[in-house]
Amino acid sequence: MDVELEYDRLGGRLRAIGGATITYDRLGRRARTLGDWALEYDELGIRLRSIGDSELDYGRKSGLPATLGDLTLEYTGFSRQLTHVGPYEVGYDRFGSRVRTIGPLTLVYDRLGSRPRRAELPADYPFLPEDLLRVLFLVLYLRTQQEEEETPASG
């Protein structure tokens, strides 16, 4: 099964994962919903705090999410690269720059290789399970956050 990842034309923001539409705040900076789930942020509006009823708790030292609901997030040492979300292993290309797999999902990128266009599931998955939808969104969200931190501000 293929799960299409849709982006808006101008801003390049992720607009949908399969049938789950993603809406944004008035400024278009923060995702507010993923399908029927509300996305909640901390008081400053900086850190994602929940995806629907699955809360994100952050580690004290790293500032990275440590759990998503009952799923534990694991990272490599100094690179702070996400390696697991619960039972789902997160795999990268040989340079470690692009997420290639998330558990049973395989991400397929656009021609330039800059963003994933679809996620492929093995034949024994007739649909994208809710927990895997949350994990996929979180991984893409965290990669976007990391890319924004690495890109110097212009101006």
Side-chain angles (χ1 to χ4, degrees):
M1 174 188 174
D2 286 350
V3 177
E4 297 298 321
L5 304 176
E6 299 174 31
Y7 297 85
D8 58 17
R9 294 188 191 269
L10 299 178
R13 295 174 305 184
L14 185 61
R15 296 302 294 197
I17 299 174
T21 302
I22 299 168
T23 62
Y24 288 83
D25 63 11
R26 288 184 185 182
L27 297 176
R29 294 182 182 196
R30 260 194 326 241
R32 298 303 298 171
T33 63
L34 170 62
D36 293 334
W37 297 319
L39 303 174
E40 300 293 332
Y41 296 84
D42 64 11
E43 291 177 11
L44 299 174
I46 297 169
R47 294 196 305 187
L48 184 63
R49 297 302 294 184
S50 69
I51 302 171
D53 60 356
S54 294
E55 291 186 16
L56 282 142
D57 288 320
Y58 287 78
R60 292 184 181 172
K61 293 180 182 177
S62 69
L64 296 171
T67 61
L68 170 64
D70 60 353
L71 302 176
T72 300
L73 282 72
E74 297 175 20
Y75 302 86
T76 58
F78 295 109
S79 68
R80 299 174 21 163
Q81 192 171 60
L82 184 62
T83 59
H84 286 86
V85 179
Y88 303 114
E89 182 176 358
V90 180
Y92 296 85
D93 64 10
R94 63 183 170 164
F95 303 109
S97 59
R98 292 187 307 183
V99 174
R100 297 304 281 175
T101 60
I102 303 169
L105 290 169
T106 300
L107 297 180
V108 178
Y109 284 77
D110 61 14
R111 289 184 186 176
L112 298 175
S114 60
R115 62 183 176 193
R117 296 302 293 175
R118 71 178 186 276
E120 298 175 343
L121 276 165
D124 56 336
Y125 282 84
F127 60 90
L128 181 65
E130 285 187 354
D131 66 328
L132 199 49
L133 172 59
R134 280 187 175 103
V135 170
L136 174 57
F137 175 80
L138 179 62
V139 170
L140 295 175
Y141 171 82
L142 292 174
R143 290 300 291 174
T144 301
Q145 295 297 107
Q146 184 180 28
E147 288 168 5
E148 288 175 2
E149 289 174 6
E150 292 171 356
T151 304
S154 60

